[in-house]
């Protein structure tokens, strides 16, 4: 999705910026632009590829050595030049690039209009430029701090001010932004891949921080006070770039989910396999959970009941005959021995086999008759995140001959972006101290609940219990005592009554209910809420799982665990 780059140094900025924008292309975009700062700010923008922007820049004399650039993936407003970043403020004093979504943009729009500022674009981002100029009293950093404090939602911001032509100002809240420093140069970027090679150290901005970036230096502030951020030396530039400034691959990959989903759900439809009438979904671990979470969707589309089976158990179901049936194998790696063995067995029994894998030429895709590739990009973290969400997205694509699902799929990346902004800190503290937390849900939420419990177990070593909400009363409820956290995933309004009943049962025994929900009544009845954006209940696991991943991550961090290298686990399980 959107990408940000900024450069200040001793070379003309425009070519450095376009090079950085090329490196950000993989994030997906539909327009791009740059702004450079001299005695005034000049912007150049183009819809479409970066080559279109380069075409416009050809022959322009732009000697300015400081600038910002942006690749835009349209959210508020179509991909037009007017909506394209950088946005200029009404008097031309400021230019901004923004990655994220401003939740209170409606109020801010009214505020600007009441001040007589006429808005040019349909974007939420343009407002930020105007607010900056309105607040400006000669100190861009102070006014950026004030404006950032009024923004709700997620943002990574790069800002130019015409009065300080070699400075870049930056602010961050829930969208990634890193600062790169080298001799006589500095830059900002959404990730390390776009950093120029002169960069020798990195600063990862934290939520709530603002920064003034000058050639060779950066000052970082939090709530008006100067802070000394940690600088990571790029002695191993590849690692720094690969981690893009994130402390862990798991966190980086969580943040990649909106883009990974966008790539997966727009995968070329031509010649794509489709779901038949009798489907069995098969996988291991998280892939099995993605299958469980997708069962209701598959049943809605095929009009038949679908089976979900653990790959390691499938081979023992002796009497099944596969003729006229389809077996769909889910595997991020495509190299999981249990899944490959199950696919081989399914072929022997006469099933039509379909591999859904993130690795296009894996053993599994070669074994199966048909394949559909998720487009999550390489997943390095042992605990899968984008592997799971793109599998749910992929099954949505296979089911997208239904118009309602096809429309809901397009919304998934945006909903995932919003889910990334959900604040889990308080709940993570509670979970990190807990024994036997529960994760419960029904239908698609059941798969998401199991995945939430697995994430927690894998990286924090807390013995979490994932269970179908209706099963709680059949035994496991005996474990609930005062303070036991019960995470309730609830995205299906039609099941609201039953969810409320489960929550009441838990609370009656002293349990603490944490609702992961977009349903008001459910939220009101909970002790803690992780609020979800609206999402189709048959695709919801791709979104509801995101705060659960974050919860596991934050809890493991609090417990000081080695998040990217959890004990006893391997990324690819190639033994049966
Ligand atoms: C959990 C996890 C595992 C895998 C499982 C299957 O975070 O990563 O449970 O989901 O080993 O792996 P794939 O999808 O590669 O077949």
């Amino acid at each position: 999705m959107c990408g940000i780059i900024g450069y200040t140094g001793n070379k003309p900025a425009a070519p450095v910026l376009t090079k950085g924008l090329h490196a950000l292309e993989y994030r997906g975009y539909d327009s791009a632009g740059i702004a450079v700062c001299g005695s005034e700010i000049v912007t150049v923008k183009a819809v479409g590829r970066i080559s279109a922007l380069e075409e416009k820049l050809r022959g322009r004399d732009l000697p300015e050595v400081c600038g910002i650039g942006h690749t835009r993936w349209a959210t508020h407003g179509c991909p037009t030049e007017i909506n394209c970043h950088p946005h200029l403020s009404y008097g031309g004093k400021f230019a901004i690039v923004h990655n994220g979504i401003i939740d209170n943009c409606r109020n801010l729009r009214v505020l600007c209009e009441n001040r007589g500022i006429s808005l040019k674009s349909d974007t939420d981002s343009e407002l930020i430029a105007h607010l900056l100029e309105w607040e400006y009293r000669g100190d861009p950093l102070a006014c950026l701090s004030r404006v950032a404090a009024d923004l709700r939602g997620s943002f990574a911001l790069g800002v130019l001010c015409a009065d300080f032509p070699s400075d870049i100002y930056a602010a961050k809240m829930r969208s990634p932004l890193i600062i790169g420093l080298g001799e006589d140069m500095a830059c900002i970027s959404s990730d390390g891949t776009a950093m120029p090679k002169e960069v020798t150290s990195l600063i990862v901005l934290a939520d709530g921080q603002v920064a003034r970036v000058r050639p060779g230096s950066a000052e970082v502030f939090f709530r008006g006070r100067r802070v000394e951020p940690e600088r990571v030396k790029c002695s191993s530039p590849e690692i720094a770039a690969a981690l893009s400034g994130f402390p862990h691959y798991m966190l980086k990959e969580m943040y990649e989910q909106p883009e990974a989903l966008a790539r997966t759900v727009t995968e070329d439809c031509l010649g794509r396999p489709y779901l038949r009438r009798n489907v069995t979904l098969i996988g291991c671990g998280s892939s099995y959970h993605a299958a469980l979470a997708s069962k209701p969707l598959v049943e809605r589309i095929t009009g038949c009941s679908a089976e979900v089976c653990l790959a390691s158990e499938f081979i023992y179901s002796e009497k099944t005959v596969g003729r006229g049936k389809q077996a769909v194998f889910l595997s991020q790696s495509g190299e999981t021995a249990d899944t490959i063995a199950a696919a081989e067995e399914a072929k022997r029994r006469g099933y039509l086999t379909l591999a859904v894998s993130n690795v296009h030429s894996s053993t599994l895709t070669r074994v199966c008759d048909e394949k559909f590739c998720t487009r999550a990009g390489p997943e390095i973290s042992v605990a899968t995140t984008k592997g799971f969400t793109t599998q749910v997205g992929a099954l949505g694509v296979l089911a997208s001959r239904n118009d309602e699902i096809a429309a809901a799929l397009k919304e998934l990346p945006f909903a995932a972006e919003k889910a990334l902004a959900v604040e889990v800190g308080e709940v993570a503290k509670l979970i990190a101290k807990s024994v036997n937390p529960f994760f419960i849900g029904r239908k698609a939420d059941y798969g998401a609940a199991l995945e939430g419990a697995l994430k927690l177990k894998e990286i924090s070593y807390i013995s979490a219990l994932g269970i179908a909400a209706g099963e709680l009363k059949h035994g496991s409820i005996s474990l609930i005592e005062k303070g036991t956290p019960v995470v309730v995933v609830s995205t299906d309004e039609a099941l609201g009554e039953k969810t409320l009943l489960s929550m009441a049962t838990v609370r009656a025994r002293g349990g603490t209910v944490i609702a992961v929900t977009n349903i008001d009544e459910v939220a009101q009845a909970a002790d803690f809420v992780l609020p979800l954006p609206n999402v189709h209940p048959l695709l919801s696991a791709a979104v509801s799982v995101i705060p659960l991943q974050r919860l596991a991550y934050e809890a493991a961090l609090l417990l000081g665990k080695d998040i990217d290298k959890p004990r006893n686990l391997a990324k690819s399980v190639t033994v049966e």
Side-chain angles (χ1 to χ4, degrees):
M1 304 209 146
C2 305
I4 287 180
I5 180 81
Y7 169 82
T8 177
N10 48 19
K11 295 196 239 178
V16 183
L17 295 173
T18 48
K19 192 168 176 206
L21 291 179
H22 274 298
L24 295 169
E25 276 185 287
Y26 79 97
R27 298 166 72 91
Y29 70 106
D30 40 43
S31 52
I34 65 162
V36 290
C37 195
S39 54
E40 58 175 18
I41 299 175
V42 179
T43 63
V44 184
K45 312 177 185 191
V47 174
R49 302 282 98 193
I50 290 163
S51 53
L53 176 68
E54 287 170 321
E55 194 52 48
K56 284 193 156 183
L57 286 165
R58 199 154 296 140
R60 296 274 306 255
D61 182 26
L62 295 174
E64 293 83 355
V65 291
C66 177
I68 51 178
H70 189 263
T71 48
R72 174 169 187 257
W73 202 79
T75 52
H76 289 72
C78 315
T80 60
E81 223 169 273
I82 287 183
N83 287 336
C84 187
H85 300 217
H87 288 287
L88 282 175
S89 58
Y90 52 89
K93 184 74 81 186
F94 286 89
I96 68 104
V97 285
H98 167 222
N99 179 7
I101 295 179
I102 303 301
D103 291 342
N104 58 337
C105 64
R106 266 203 224 145
N107 296 351
L108 297 177
R109 191 167 266 270
V110 173
L111 188 71
C112 282
E113 282 163 358
N114 290 344
R115 289 171 177 174
I117 301 168
S118 59
L119 302 163
K120 294 194 174 62
S121 76
D122 305 317
T123 65
D124 52 349
S125 312
E126 182 195 348
L127 298 161
I128 302 169
H130 300 316
L131 294 170
L132 285 171
E133 180 147 352
W134 187 271
E135 288 287 329
Y136 184 55
R137 307 280 178 275
D139 180 351
L141 194 84
C143 93
L144 177 58
S145 303
R146 280 198 297 278
V147 169
D150 288 340
L151 302 177
R152 299 284 164 269
S154 57
F155 52 85
L157 287 171
V159 177
L160 298 178
C161 174
D163 292 345
F164 297 86
S166 54
D167 290 2
I168 300 174
Y169 301 89
K172 174 199 171 337
M173 182 60 78
R174 300 192 190 100
S175 288
L177 196 62
I178 52 180
I179 299 170
L181 297 171
E183 210 180 309
D184 296 331
M185 63 80 65
C187 59
I188 60 167
S189 173
S190 301
D191 67 45
T193 52
M195 291 273 166
K197 62 178 182 324
E198 295 92 323
V199 167
T200 52
S201 64
L202 297 174
I203 294 171
V204 183
L205 276 190
D207 283 348
Q209 290 185 338
V210 293
R212 175 168 31 227
V213 181
R214 290 182 164 151
S217 72
E219 296 159 274
V220 179
F221 299 81
F222 182 65
R223 294 195 181 137
R225 295 206 168 175
R226 176 103 191 249
V227 291
E228 265 320 308
E230 197 189 335
R231 273 187 197 203
V232 185
K233 280 257 170 274
C234 301
S235 50
S236 171
E238 322 75 57
I239 291 183
L243 266 170
S244 302
F246 284 95
H248 300 101
Y249 283 108
M250 184 178 176
L251 189 64
K252 172 177 183 262
E253 289 165 6
M254 284 189 312
Y255 273 99
E256 286 170 356
Q257 291 180 108
E259 289 146 34
L261 274 169
R263 283 195 299 266
T264 300
V265 301
T266 52
E267 177 69 336
D268 195 1
C269 302
L270 282 177
R272 185 180 74 197
Y274 59 93
L275 294 175
R276 314 291 162 116
R277 282 180 67 75
N278 288 304
V279 180
T280 305
L281 301 166
I282 299 161
C284 301
S286 298
S287 295
Y288 170 70
H289 297 157
L292 271 180
S294 305
K295 174 179 152 80
L297 169 69
V298 173
E299 292 183 335
R300 168 77 62 85
I301 297 306
T302 60
C304 293
S305 78
E307 283 180 47
V308 180
C309 201
L310 284 165
S312 55
E313 289 293 315
F314 177 79
I315 47 176
Y316 305 123
S317 49
E318 282 173 30
K319 300 222 167 61
T320 41
V321 176
R323 199 146 320 198
K325 294 184 186 165
Q326 185 181 32
V328 180
F329 295 88
L330 284 84
S331 174
Q332 188 281 128
S333 63
E335 300 299 340
T336 301
D338 285 323
T339 312
I340 293 164
E344 284 166 343
E345 180 61 23
K347 286 195 84 172
R348 275 194 288 276
R349 292 188 202 164
Y351 282 87
L352 177 70
T353 53
L354 165 60
V356 175
S357 176
N358 191 36
V359 180
H360 300 202
S361 56
S362 59
T363 309
L364 184 69
T365 58
R366 286 199 301 274
V367 166
C368 289
D369 303 307
E370 298 178 303
K371 67 173 175 181
F372 180 84
C373 294
T374 54
R375 299 187 63 205
E379 194 178 59
I380 304 205
S381 162
V382 171
T384 184
T385 53
K386 57 181 182 168
F388 175 90
T389 41
T390 51
Q391 283 170 346
V392 177
L395 281 161
V397 176
L398 295 173
S400 62
R401 58 181 187 270
N402 173 307
D403 287 347
E404 186 188 320
I405 298 300
L409 268 181
K410 291 203 188 116
E411 297 301 318
L412 271 192
F414 303 109
E417 182 120 16
K418 287 189 181 149
L420 275 172
V422 173
E423 194 50 67
V424 303
E426 282 308 301
V427 180
K429 282 186 204 150
L430 194 86
I431 295 280
K433 290 195 296 236
S434 71
V435 185
N436 286 332
F438 280 69
F439 289 72
I440 66 171
R442 289 170 191 266
K443 255 179 119 174
D445 297 331
Y446 170 40
L450 291 196
E451 180 60 6
L454 181 64
K455 288 281 90 75
L456 189 64
K457 282 188 269 199
E458 282 182 288
I459 58 168
S460 73
Y461 317 144
I462 293 172
S463 162
L465 203 67
I467 185 167
E471 272 294 293
L472 199 58
K473 56 190 177 294
H474 295 292
S476 309
I477 199 165
S478 64
L479 290 174
I480 292 184
E481 53 189 4
K482 191 164 179 336
T484 304
V486 179
V487 179
V488 180
V489 186
S490 174
T491 61
D492 193 337
E493 292 238 38
L495 304 176
E497 288 289 313
K498 285 194 171 162
T499 305
L500 289 171
L501 193 62
S502 305
M503 289 163 70
T505 315
V506 167
R507 294 190 73 188
R509 280 146 189 89
T512 303
V513 172
I514 298 134
V516 182
T517 190
N518 45 20
I519 303 170
D520 289 344
E521 294 86 326
V522 173
Q524 277 152 19
D527 297 298
F528 293 88
V529 183
L530 303 182
L532 291 175
N534 284 335
V535 52
H536 195 291
L538 295 177
L539 291 166
S540 61
V543 174
S544 60
V545 78
I546 293 175
L548 301 180
Q549 297 165 345
R550 190 65 188 248
L551 191 58
Y553 176 84
E554 298 292 341
L557 211 56
L558 286 169
L559 294 169
K561 303 297 182 210
D562 191 349
I563 291 176
D564 278 339
K565 295 189 204 74
R567 71 183 178 207
N568 306 340
L569 298 181
K571 182 67 188 155
S572 195
V573 186
T574 51
V575 288
E576 273 186 64

